């Protein structure tokens, strides 16, 4: 019984970790930057520009902002800036 419980918990953790990923970042100055890899996509923020896979560039307003990155189990990535969607695939 104990082995079954441990196996079940491990399966839930492994499946849950593989389903989706997300992150939230607050930026307010030129020096703020981050880089994340989500579902095989490289997402970088620097100098008020969000870059996806080194080719899609999304400029944002030069003010304090909250950037939220969500992804789905199928690998789609969504980016929101101050709750407004600025990128999806």
């Amino acid at each position: 019984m104990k082995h079954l419980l441990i196996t079940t918990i491990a399966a839930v953790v492994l499946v849950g970790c593989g389903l989706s990923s997300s992150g939230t970042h607050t930026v307010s100055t030129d020096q703020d930057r981050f880089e994340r890899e989500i579902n095989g996509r490289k997402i970088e923020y620097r100098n008020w520009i969000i870059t996806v896979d080194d080719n899609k560039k999304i400029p944002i307003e030069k003010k304090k902002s909250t950037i939220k990155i969500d992804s789905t189990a199928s690998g789609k990535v969504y980016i929101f800036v101050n709750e407004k969607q600025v990128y999806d695939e």
Side-chain angles (χ1 to χ4, degrees), residues 4-79:
L4 179 61
L5 178 63
I6 291 171
T7 304
T8 303
I9 291 171
V12 168
V13 168
L14 289 174
V15 170
C17 290
L19 287 179
S20 65
S21 180
S22 65
T24 302
H25 303 272
T26 301
V27 297
S28 57
T29 70
D30 290 341
Q31 289 78 31
D32 293 334
R33 55 186 66 195
F34 66 83
E35 185 176 316
R36 302 219 27 198
E37 185 165 329
I38 298 178
N39 286 349
R41 297 273 189 231
K42 179 182 171 189
I43 300 167
E44 182 179 11
Y45 169 80
R46 179 177 21 195
N47 297 329
W48 307 106
I49 296 176
I50 300 169
T51 306
V52 180
D53 288 336
D54 293 326
N55 58 18
K56 174 68 176 171
K57 298 194 182 298
I58 306 160
I60 67 169
E61 284 188 68
K62 294 181 179 180
K63 66 176 188 178
K64 185 174 182 177
S65 299
T66 301
I67 300 170
K68 182 177 180 189
I69 305 166
D70 286 331
S71 66
T72 65
S74 62
K76 292 186 177 184
V77 175
Y78 303 94
I79 301 175

